[in-house]
Structures are given as C-alpha cells and as structure tokens.
Amino acid sequence: MTEHSNPELPPLPYDYDALEPHISEQVLTWHHDTHHQGYVNGLESAEQTLANNRSSGDYGSTAGALSNVTHNGSGHYLHTLFWNNMSPNGGSSPSGELANRIEEDFGSYDGWEGEFRAAASAAGGWALLVYDPVAKQLRNVAVDKHDQGALWGSHPILALDVWEHSYYYDYGPDRGSFIDAFFEVIDWDDVSQQYENVVSSHE
C-alpha cells in the first residue's frame, strides 16, 4: 500500500504584518495559525479514520470521514493558494498571457473584476477564478463553505476567502471594504504563474 505523507501547514510567504493596513497582523495570525491549522488537522484526522476503517473492515464512520476529507482538504488547499495569491507588493492589474486571457474570456479586465466582486459578495465561503480545462476558459465561481459550488475538473488560480473570520476583526460586517482591500494586495505574478502551470499541464 502507498505510504501517504501527512498534510502540513505551510508557512506564510511573508511576515504576519506584511499586508497591513489592508489585512491586520492579528487577523493573519488567527487565520493562518488557528483556522488554517484546523483544516490541516481535520484532514489528517479524517484520513486516519479512513485508513483505520479499511484495516478493520468497519465502515460505520466512513461517510462522515469522506465528507471531512473534502471539507478540510479543500479548506487546506484553498487557504494555501490564498496566502500565495497575496503580497505586500501586490495590487495593480494582470499583464501578459493572463491579461490577454481575461480579456478574451470576460470581454475586459473590468468585466472580470465586476463579476469576481459579485461572486465574492454572494459566496458563503470563497470567490475563485478558475481555469476550466474542458471548456478551455477562465471562469469565476462562488463557492459555499470550501467545497460546495465548485466546477469539477477546474483549477483555482486566484482565491479570495470571504468567510467572516477573514475580515470581521478588521472590517466588521463591511465585506465590500475587505474585497477592496484584497485587490490592493493581489500578487498578479503569482496568479499568472498559477495560470501558466495549469494551462501547460493540459496541453
């Protein structure tokens, strides 16, 4: 049987106070060290339950563990992308191949941004820019929790966490101001690299 490595919490790619004043040091500390760590722990626990059930032949708790894998695993993966999508030197707008593709698939950058902001305002978890390798195009999706509303086969390249723990300490119920702040720290170089990696893997 293949030996699987345990999931691990990746370090932030910048200091905890690096995104201030847009996202506070306190929020990043709680969000990364407590919330994200919780999803890593939940994924590891669910994987262990599944392994134990396979060994024992008792599958009574398997359905719950499978649900926990998708919830916690998606939370872990999306948070990892979220951290990398931001930078203290972020902001501005995309360039190069990604900029061209956004214009092609959404009509304009403004068309993409307006739609993404609408997704972020409506989502119960995440707004994602994804590459759909079946239709061979970029799409915006609004995902509830971590795993409800995703499009099978698509690959997220930009993730915005709109769970309340992402912004309530800094902005209270004003999600719109948090969305504005996110646009000030988007690392478009990282998003472009995510896009190029995904597209090249499907050529």
Side-chain angles (χ1 to χ4, degrees):
M1 187 170 66
T2 302
E3 189 71 27
H4 297 286
S5 60
N6 292 330
E8 294 183 356
L9 179 69
L12 283 177
Y14 33 75
D15 293 335
Y16 287 90
D17 63 354
L19 302 182
E20 291 188 337
H22 308 293
I23 302 176
S24 69
E25 178 181 6
Q26 182 63 77
V27 165
L28 274 188
T29 301
W30 283 333
H31 198 169
H32 177 267
D33 293 4
T34 300
H35 288 282
H36 190 172
Q37 182 68 63
Y39 301 125
V40 172
N41 295 345
L43 175 59
E44 183 175 13
S45 175
E47 293 278 26
Q48 188 60 55
T49 296
L50 292 175
N52 292 343
N53 291 356
R54 294 180 200 119
S55 295
S56 68
D58 179 358
Y59 297 99
S61 60
T62 291
L66 290 171
S67 179
N68 285 334
V69 166
T70 59
H71 177 77
N72 290 289
S74 295
H76 173 35
Y77 302 156
L78 289 176
H79 275 95
T80 300
L81 179 62
F82 179 52
W83 308 135
N84 287 311
N85 282 162
M86 297 186 290
S87 165
N89 301 314
S92 69
S93 56
S95 59
E97 292 183 22
L98 177 60
N100 294 338
R101 192 54 178 269
I102 286 174
E103 186 160 340
E104 179 181 337
D105 290 343
F106 296 95
S108 65
Y109 173 82
D110 289 343
W112 167 76
E113 181 179 333
E115 187 175 289
F116 187 85
R117 284 177 177 273
S121 297
W126 296 83
L128 305 175
L129 173 62
V130 306
Y131 179 71
D132 173 359
V134 177
K136 298 191 184 324
Q137 70 180 76
L138 294 171
R139 299 183 186 275
N140 288 317
V141 294
V143 174
D144 291 333
K145 304 201 180 289
H146 300 305
D147 51 354
Q148 299 173 17
L151 182 66
W152 292 116
S154 66
H155 297 263
I157 63 171
L158 175 65
L160 170 54
D161 185 345
V162 290
W163 286 66
E164 290 181 352
H165 62 242
S166 298
Y167 63 89
Y168 238 74
Y169 180 84
D170 289 339
Y171 297 98
D174 186 4
R175 184 188 290 192
S177 289
F178 171 63
I179 296 169
D180 291 342
F182 176 71
F183 273 84
E184 296 296 323
V185 295
I186 295 175
D187 183 349
W188 285 109
D189 289 341
D190 180 75
V191 182
S192 293
Q193 189 62 58
Q194 301 283 350
Y195 168 73
E196 291 169 14
N197 291 346
V198 167
V199 171
S200 65
S201 70
H202 287 281
E203 289 180 345

mmCIF file of all heavy atoms in Angstrom, residues 122-162:
data_model
loop_
_atom_site.group_PDB
_atom_site.id
_atom_site.type_symbol
_atom_site.label_atom_id
_atom_site.label_comp_id
_atom_site.label_asym_id
_atom_site.label_seq_id
_atom_site.Cartn_x
_atom_site.Cartn_y
_atom_site.Cartn_z
ATOM 1 N N ALA A 122 -21.485 37.421 -2.909
ATOM 2 C CA ALA A 122 -22.562 36.446 -2.755
ATOM 3 C C ALA A 122 -22.120 35.146 -2.109
ATOM 4 O O ALA A 122 -22.938 34.434 -1.511
ATOM 5 C CB ALA A 122 -23.171 36.140 -4.123
ATOM 6 N N ALA A 123 -20.844 34.811 -2.205
ATOM 7 C CA ALA A 123 -20.372 33.495 -1.774
ATOM 8 C C ALA A 123 -20.477 33.326 -0.270
ATOM 9 O O ALA A 123 -20.341 34.277 0.495
ATOM 10 C CB ALA A 123 -18.918 33.287 -2.210
ATOM 11 N N GLY A 124 -20.687 32.066 0.133
ATOM 12 C CA GLY A 124 -20.675 31.732 1.544
ATOM 13 C C GLY A 124 -19.350 31.143 1.970
ATOM 14 O O GLY A 124 -19.263 30.473 3.004
ATOM 15 N N GLY A 125 -18.317 31.354 1.195
ATOM 16 C CA GLY A 125 -17.006 30.788 1.521
ATOM 17 C C GLY A 125 -15.888 31.418 0.727
ATOM 18 O O GLY A 125 -15.013 32.070 1.257
ATOM 19 N N TRP A 126 -15.933 31.237 -0.602
ATOM 20 C CA TRP A 126 -14.823 31.652 -1.455
ATOM 21 C C TRP A 126 -15.316 32.203 -2.784
ATOM 22 O O TRP A 126 -16.286 31.703 -3.348
ATOM 23 C CB TRP A 126 -13.914 30.465 -1.770
ATOM 24 C CG TRP A 126 -13.241 29.875 -0.582
ATOM 25 C CD1 TRP A 126 -13.765 28.962 0.294
ATOM 26 C CD2 TRP A 126 -11.921 30.164 -0.119
ATOM 27 N NE1 TRP A 126 -12.853 28.662 1.267
ATOM 28 C CE2 TRP A 126 -11.705 29.382 1.036
ATOM 29 C CE3 TRP A 126 -10.896 30.979 -0.576
ATOM 30 C CZ2 TRP A 126 -10.514 29.404 1.743
ATOM 31 C CZ3 TRP A 126 -9.702 31.010 0.121
ATOM 32 C CH2 TRP A 126 -9.513 30.227 1.269
ATOM 33 N N ALA A 127 -14.609 33.209 -3.289
ATOM 34 C CA ALA A 127 -14.700 33.600 -4.696
ATOM 35 C C ALA A 127 -13.432 33.115 -5.364
ATOM 36 O O ALA A 127 -12.326 33.362 -4.863
ATOM 37 C CB ALA A 127 -14.837 35.110 -4.839
ATOM 38 N N LEU A 128 -13.578 32.409 -6.476
ATOM 39 C CA LEU A 128 -12.430 31.809 -7.147
ATOM 40 C C LEU A 128 -12.422 32.169 -8.628
ATOM 41 O O LEU A 128 -13.470 32.160 -9.282
ATOM 42 C CB LEU A 128 -12.465 30.281 -7.028
ATOM 43 C CG LEU A 128 -12.571 29.665 -5.632
ATOM 44 C CD1 LEU A 128 -12.724 28.155 -5.742
ATOM 45 C CD2 LEU A 128 -11.357 30.036 -4.797
ATOM 46 N N LEU A 129 -11.238 32.475 -9.134
ATOM 47 C CA LEU A 129 -11.002 32.494 -10.569
ATOM 48 C C LEU A 129 -10.371 31.157 -10.903
ATOM 49 O O LEU A 129 -9.321 30.809 -10.336
ATOM 50 C CB LEU A 129 -10.081 33.650 -10.947
ATOM 51 C CG LEU A 129 -9.601 33.700 -12.406
ATOM 52 C CD1 LEU A 129 -10.765 33.853 -13.368
ATOM 53 C CD2 LEU A 129 -8.573 34.824 -12.587
ATOM 54 N N VAL A 130 -11.008 30.404 -11.769
ATOM 55 C CA VAL A 130 -10.545 29.055 -12.079
ATOM 56 C C VAL A 130 -10.319 28.908 -13.581
ATOM 57 O O VAL A 130 -10.905 29.639 -14.394
ATOM 58 C CB VAL A 130 -11.556 27.975 -11.609
ATOM 59 C CG1 VAL A 130 -11.883 28.144 -10.128
ATOM 60 C CG2 VAL A 130 -12.841 28.010 -12.437
ATOM 61 N N TYR A 131 -9.463 27.961 -13.925
ATOM 62 C CA TYR A 131 -9.311 27.570 -15.327
ATOM 63 C C TYR A 131 -10.067 26.268 -15.531
ATOM 64 O O TYR A 131 -9.826 25.276 -14.842
ATOM 65 C CB TYR A 131 -7.842 27.385 -15.707
ATOM 66 C CG TYR A 131 -7.677 26.960 -17.153
ATOM 67 C CD1 TYR A 131 -7.934 27.866 -18.181
ATOM 68 C CD2 TYR A 131 -7.294 25.666 -17.486
ATOM 69 C CE1 TYR A 131 -7.814 27.487 -19.509
ATOM 70 C CE2 TYR A 131 -7.160 25.276 -18.811
ATOM 71 C CZ TYR A 131 -7.423 26.190 -19.821
ATOM 72 O OH TYR A 131 -7.310 25.802 -21.133
ATOM 73 N N ASP A 132 -10.996 26.288 -16.477
ATOM 74 C CA ASP A 132 -11.811 25.129 -16.817
ATOM 75 C C ASP A 132 -11.175 24.453 -18.027
ATOM 76 O O ASP A 132 -11.272 24.965 -19.142
ATOM 77 C CB ASP A 132 -13.239 25.606 -17.134
ATOM 78 C CG ASP A 132 -14.143 24.513 -17.664
ATOM 79 O OD1 ASP A 132 -13.689 23.359 -17.829
ATOM 80 O OD2 ASP A 132 -15.324 24.814 -17.937
ATOM 81 N N PRO A 133 -10.511 23.296 -17.832
ATOM 82 C CA PRO A 133 -9.798 22.668 -18.947
ATOM 83 C C PRO A 133 -10.720 21.975 -19.943
ATOM 84 O O PRO A 133 -10.275 21.639 -21.050
ATOM 85 C CB PRO A 133 -8.890 21.653 -18.246
ATOM 86 C CG PRO A 133 -9.625 21.300 -16.997
ATOM 87 C CD PRO A 133 -10.319 22.557 -16.568
ATOM 88 N N VAL A 134 -11.987 21.770 -19.572
ATOM 89 C CA VAL A 134 -12.931 21.163 -20.511
ATOM 90 C C VAL A 134 -13.360 22.208 -21.538
ATOM 91 O O VAL A 134 -13.277 21.999 -22.760
ATOM 92 C CB VAL A 134 -14.139 20.577 -19.769
ATOM 93 C CG1 VAL A 134 -15.148 20.011 -20.764
ATOM 94 C CG2 VAL A 134 -13.696 19.506 -18.775
ATOM 95 N N ALA A 135 -13.817 23.363 -21.047
ATOM 96 C CA ALA A 135 -14.215 24.449 -21.944
ATOM 97 C C ALA A 135 -13.018 25.266 -22.412
ATOM 98 O O ALA A 135 -13.146 26.103 -23.302
ATOM 99 C CB ALA A 135 -15.216 25.360 -21.236
ATOM 100 N N LYS A 136 -11.847 25.022 -21.781
ATOM 101 C CA LYS A 136 -10.616 25.756 -22.086
ATOM 102 C C LYS A 136 -10.822 27.261 -21.928
ATOM 103 O O LYS A 136 -10.548 28.045 -22.841
ATOM 104 C CB LYS A 136 -10.102 25.407 -23.487
ATOM 105 C CG LYS A 136 -9.741 23.935 -23.663
ATOM 106 C CD LYS A 136 -9.007 23.699 -24.952
ATOM 107 C CE LYS A 136 -8.703 22.231 -25.211
ATOM 108 N NZ LYS A 136 -8.372 21.443 -24.051
ATOM 109 N N GLN A 137 -11.305 27.644 -20.752
ATOM 110 C CA GLN A 137 -11.513 29.060 -20.482
ATOM 111 C C GLN A 137 -11.451 29.336 -18.986
ATOM 112 O O GLN A 137 -11.561 28.418 -18.171
ATOM 113 C CB GLN A 137 -12.866 29.524 -21.022
ATOM 114 C CG GLN A 137 -14.069 28.972 -20.260
ATOM 115 C CD GLN A 137 -15.383 29.466 -20.827
ATOM 116 O OE1 GLN A 137 -15.836 28.996 -21.877
ATOM 117 N NE2 GLN A 137 -15.991 30.409 -20.135
ATOM 118 N N LEU A 138 -11.245 30.599 -18.665
ATOM 119 C CA LEU A 138 -11.310 31.045 -17.287
ATOM 120 C C LEU A 138 -12.760 31.269 -16.895
ATOM 121 O O LEU A 138 -13.593 31.697 -17.705
ATOM 122 C CB LEU A 138 -10.536 32.356 -17.115
ATOM 123 C CG LEU A 138 -9.024 32.291 -17.318
ATOM 124 C CD1 LEU A 138 -8.445 33.697 -17.339
ATOM 125 C CD2 LEU A 138 -8.377 31.457 -16.226
ATOM 126 N N ARG A 139 -13.059 31.004 -15.620
ATOM 127 C CA ARG A 139 -14.392 31.243 -15.076
ATOM 128 C C ARG A 139 -14.262 31.770 -13.653
ATOM 129 O O ARG A 139 -13.321 31.429 -12.943
ATOM 130 C CB ARG A 139 -15.221 29.951 -15.013
ATOM 131 C CG ARG A 139 -15.498 29.251 -16.321
ATOM 132 C CD ARG A 139 -16.401 28.042 -16.078
ATOM 133 N NE ARG A 139 -16.604 27.236 -17.245
ATOM 134 C CZ ARG A 139 -17.524 27.461 -18.190
ATOM 135 N NH1 ARG A 139 -18.312 28.524 -18.074
ATOM 136 N NH2 ARG A 139 -17.655 26.652 -19.218
ATOM 137 N N ASN A 140 -15.234 32.568 -13.231
ATOM 138 C CA ASN A 140 -15.398 32.912 -11.827
ATOM 139 C C ASN A 140 -16.432 31.979 -11.214
ATOM 140 O O ASN A 140 -17.447 31.673 -11.849
ATOM 141 C CB ASN A 140 -15.886 34.353 -11.673
ATOM 142 C CG ASN A 140 -14.824 35.373 -12.007
ATOM 143 O OD1 ASN A 140 -13.677 35.224 -11.620
ATOM 144 N ND2 ASN A 140 -15.194 36.428 -12.724
ATOM 145 N N VAL A 141 -16.185 31.520 -10.007
ATOM 146 C CA VAL A 141 -17.161 30.695 -9.301
ATOM 147 C C VAL A 141 -17.288 31.182 -7.862
ATOM 148 O O VAL A 141 -16.320 31.652 -7.264
ATOM 149 C CB VAL A 141 -16.798 29.189 -9.319
ATOM 150 C CG1 VAL A 141 -16.856 28.639 -10.731
ATOM 151 C CG2 VAL A 141 -15.434 28.935 -8.721
ATOM 152 N N ALA A 142 -18.490 31.081 -7.338
ATOM 153 C CA ALA A 142 -18.767 31.399 -5.933
ATOM 154 C C ALA A 142 -18.975 30.082 -5.204
ATOM 155 O O ALA A 142 -19.874 29.308 -5.547
ATOM 156 C CB ALA A 142 -20.011 32.277 -5.818
ATOM 157 N N VAL A 143 -18.131 29.806 -4.220
ATOM 158 C CA VAL A 143 -18.142 28.527 -3.516
ATOM 159 C C VAL A 143 -18.610 28.729 -2.087
ATOM 160 O O VAL A 143 -18.123 29.617 -1.379
ATOM 161 C CB VAL A 143 -16.732 27.890 -3.532
ATOM 162 C CG1 VAL A 143 -16.700 26.639 -2.671
ATOM 163 C CG2 VAL A 143 -16.310 27.575 -4.956
ATOM 164 N N ASP A 144 -19.585 27.933 -1.656
ATOM 165 C CA ASP A 144 -20.029 27.952 -0.269
ATOM 166 C C ASP A 144 -19.195 26.960 0.531
ATOM 167 O O ASP A 144 -18.819 25.899 0.035
ATOM 168 C CB ASP A 144 -21.509 27.592 -0.171
ATOM 169 C CG ASP A 144 -22.403 28.673 -0.757
ATOM 170 O OD1 ASP A 144 -21.975 29.850 -0.757
ATOM 171 O OD2 ASP A 144 -23.502 28.363 -1.234
ATOM 172 N N LYS A 145 -18.948 27.331 1.794
ATOM 173 C CA LYS A 145 -18.040 26.580 2.642
ATOM 174 C C LYS A 145 -16.715 26.443 1.899
ATOM 175 O O LYS A 145 -16.147 27.441 1.490
ATOM 176 C CB LYS A 145 -18.656 25.260 3.083
ATOM 177 C CG LYS A 145 -20.011 25.472 3.794
ATOM 178 C CD LYS A 145 -20.384 24.336 4.650
ATOM 179 C CE LYS A 145 -21.733 24.582 5.331
ATOM 180 N NZ LYS A 145 -21.633 25.629 6.368
ATOM 181 N N HIS A 146 -16.196 25.243 1.697
ATOM 182 C CA HIS A 146 -14.967 25.100 0.914
ATOM 183 C C HIS A 146 -15.185 24.268 -0.338
ATOM 184 O O HIS A 146 -14.322 24.277 -1.219
ATOM 185 C CB HIS A 146 -13.875 24.394 1.740
ATOM 186 C CG HIS A 146 -13.503 25.104 2.991
ATOM 187 N ND1 HIS A 146 -13.086 26.410 3.010
ATOM 188 C CD2 HIS A 146 -13.488 24.698 4.284
ATOM 189 C CE1 HIS A 146 -12.833 26.778 4.262
ATOM 190 N NE2 HIS A 146 -13.068 25.750 5.045
ATOM 191 N N ASP A 147 -16.301 23.575 -0.410
ATOM 192 C CA ASP A 147 -16.418 22.544 -1.437
ATOM 193 C C ASP A 147 -17.796 22.448 -2.076
ATOM 194 O O ASP A 147 -18.096 21.475 -2.760
ATOM 195 C CB ASP A 147 -16.052 21.183 -0.829
ATOM 196 C CG ASP A 147 -16.807 20.889 0.465
ATOM 197 O OD1 ASP A 147 -17.530 21.763 0.958
ATOM 198 O OD2 ASP A 147 -16.662 19.767 0.990
ATOM 199 N N GLN A 148 -18.628 23.463 -1.908
ATOM 200 C CA GLN A 148 -19.977 23.436 -2.489
ATOM 201 C C GLN A 148 -20.089 24.535 -3.541
ATOM 202 O O GLN A 148 -19.970 25.718 -3.232
ATOM 203 C CB GLN A 148 -21.036 23.650 -1.406
ATOM 204 C CG GLN A 148 -21.024 22.573 -0.323
ATOM 205 C CD GLN A 148 -21.971 22.897 0.819
ATOM 206 O OE1 GLN A 148 -22.861 23.727 0.689
ATOM 207 N NE2 GLN A 148 -21.755 22.252 1.951
ATOM 208 N N GLY A 149 -20.292 24.137 -4.780
ATOM 209 C CA GLY A 149 -20.389 25.094 -5.865
ATOM 210 C C GLY A 149 -19.186 25.085 -6.779
ATOM 211 O O GLY A 149 -19.107 25.882 -7.712
ATOM 212 N N ALA A 150 -18.239 24.192 -6.515
ATOM 213 C CA ALA A 150 -17.060 24.079 -7.382
ATOM 214 C C ALA A 150 -17.453 23.408 -8.697
ATOM 215 O O ALA A 150 -18.476 22.725 -8.787
ATOM 216 C CB ALA A 150 -15.968 23.275 -6.683
ATOM 217 N N LEU A 151 -16.628 23.621 -9.711
ATOM 218 C CA LEU A 151 -16.844 23.002 -11.015
ATOM 219 C C LEU A 151 -15.839 21.869 -11.177
ATOM 220 O O LEU A 151 -14.631 22.095 -11.097
ATOM 221 C CB LEU A 151 -16.650 24.043 -12.122
ATOM 222 C CG LEU A 151 -16.875 23.586 -13.556
ATOM 223 C CD1 LEU A 151 -18.339 23.220 -13.787
ATOM 224 C CD2 LEU A 151 -16.452 24.683 -14.531
ATOM 225 N N TRP A 152 -16.339 20.656 -11.378
ATOM 226 C CA TRP A 152 -15.455 19.502 -11.499
ATOM 227 C C TRP A 152 -14.383 19.726 -12.561
ATOM 228 O O TRP A 152 -14.666 20.169 -13.670
ATOM 229 C CB TRP A 152 -16.253 18.247 -11.860
ATOM 230 C CG TRP A 152 -17.161 17.775 -10.775
ATOM 231 C CD1 TRP A 152 -18.521 17.719 -10.808
ATOM 232 C CD2 TRP A 152 -16.784 17.279 -9.486
ATOM 233 N NE1 TRP A 152 -19.011 17.229 -9.624
ATOM 234 C CE2 TRP A 152 -17.970 16.951 -8.793
ATOM 235 C CE3 TRP A 152 -15.554 17.093 -8.844
ATOM 236 C CZ2 TRP A 152 -17.966 16.436 -7.496
ATOM 237 C CZ3 TRP A 152 -15.552 16.583 -7.552
ATOM 238 C CH2 TRP A 152 -16.745 16.256 -6.902
ATOM 239 N N GLY A 153 -13.155 19.401 -12.216
ATOM 240 C CA GLY A 153 -12.042 19.474 -13.153
ATOM 241 C C GLY A 153 -11.387 20.826 -13.255
ATOM 242 O O GLY A 153 -10.308 20.944 -13.820
ATOM 243 N N SER A 154 -12.037 21.856 -12.737
ATOM 244 C CA SER A 154 -11.457 23.194 -12.853
ATOM 245 C C SER A 154 -10.350 23.394 -11.814
ATOM 246 O O SER A 154 -10.341 22.749 -10.776
ATOM 247 C CB SER A 154 -12.533 24.269 -12.709
ATOM 248 O OG SER A 154 -13.077 24.274 -11.404
ATOM 249 N N HIS A 155 -9.453 24.322 -12.098
ATOM 250 C CA HIS A 155 -8.295 24.558 -11.245
ATOM 251 C C HIS A 155 -8.290 26.005 -10.769
ATOM 252 O O HIS A 155 -8.154 26.921 -11.590
ATOM 253 C CB HIS A 155 -7.001 24.276 -12.012
ATOM 254 C CG HIS A 155 -6.859 22.853 -12.456
ATOM 255 N ND1 HIS A 155 -6.141 21.914 -11.747
ATOM 256 C CD2 HIS A 155 -7.363 22.205 -13.522
ATOM 257 C CE1 HIS A 155 -6.200 20.753 -12.369
ATOM 258 N NE2 HIS A 155 -6.935 20.901 -13.451
ATOM 259 N N PRO A 156 -8.432 26.255 -9.475
ATOM 260 C CA PRO A 156 -8.365 27.632 -8.982
ATOM 261 C C PRO A 156 -6.981 28.235 -9.190
ATOM 262 O O PRO A 156 -5.962 27.578 -8.948
ATOM 263 C CB PRO A 156 -8.667 27.486 -7.482
ATOM 264 C CG PRO A 156 -9.338 26.160 -7.334
ATOM 265 C CD PRO A 156 -8.736 25.294 -8.400
ATOM 266 N N ILE A 157 -6.951 29.491 -9.652
ATOM 267 C CA ILE A 157 -5.682 30.205 -9.782
ATOM 268 C C ILE A 157 -5.671 31.470 -8.928
ATOM 269 O O ILE A 157 -4.611 32.025 -8.661
ATOM 270 C CB ILE A 157 -5.355 30.548 -11.248
ATOM 271 C CG1 ILE A 157 -6.398 31.493 -11.854
ATOM 272 C CG2 ILE A 157 -5.227 29.261 -12.077
ATOM 273 C CD1 ILE A 157 -6.000 32.028 -13.225
ATOM 274 N N LEU A 158 -6.856 31.921 -8.499
ATOM 275 C CA LEU A 158 -6.964 33.073 -7.603
ATOM 276 C C LEU A 158 -8.086 32.780 -6.617
ATOM 277 O O LEU A 158 -9.195 32.429 -7.028
ATOM 278 C CB LEU A 158 -7.281 34.350 -8.376
ATOM 279 C CG LEU A 158 -7.547 35.609 -7.539
ATOM 280 C CD1 LEU A 158 -6.285 36.033 -6.775
ATOM 281 C CD2 LEU A 158 -8.045 36.757 -8.417
ATOM 282 N N ALA A 159 -7.778 32.906 -5.331
ATOM 283 C CA ALA A 159 -8.742 32.571 -4.286
ATOM 284 C C ALA A 159 -8.902 33.736 -3.316
ATOM 285 O O ALA A 159 -7.912 34.272 -2.829
ATOM 286 C CB ALA A 159 -8.286 31.329 -3.520
ATOM 287 N N LEU A 160 -10.156 34.088 -3.046
ATOM 288 C CA LEU A 160 -10.475 35.096 -2.034
ATOM 289 C C LEU A 160 -11.374 34.456 -0.986
ATOM 290 O O LEU A 160 -12.485 34.021 -1.297
ATOM 291 C CB LEU A 160 -11.171 36.302 -2.667
ATOM 292 C CG LEU A 160 -11.779 37.325 -1.699
ATOM 293 C CD1 LEU A 160 -10.749 37.825 -0.689
ATOM 294 C CD2 LEU A 160 -12.398 38.483 -2.465
ATOM 295 N N ASP A 161 -10.889 34.388 0.233
ATOM 296 C CA ASP A 161 -11.633 33.826 1.358
ATOM 297 C C ASP A 161 -12.570 34.893 1.911
ATOM 298 O O ASP A 161 -12.130 35.924 2.400
ATOM 299 C CB ASP A 161 -10.644 33.384 2.437
ATOM 300 C CG ASP A 161 -11.302 32.666 3.608
ATOM 301 O OD1 ASP A 161 -12.545 32.752 3.739
ATOM 302 O OD2 ASP A 161 -10.577 32.042 4.396
ATOM 303 N N VAL A 162 -13.883 34.645 1.816
ATOM 304 C CA VAL A 162 -14.853 35.613 2.345
ATOM 305 C C VAL A 162 -15.633 35.048 3.533
ATOM 306 O O VAL A 162 -16.711 35.538 3.866
ATOM 307 C CB VAL A 162 -15.814 36.130 1.244
ATOM 308 C CG1 VAL A 162 -15.069 37.020 0.268
ATOM 309 C CG2 VAL A 162 -16.512 34.988 0.514
#
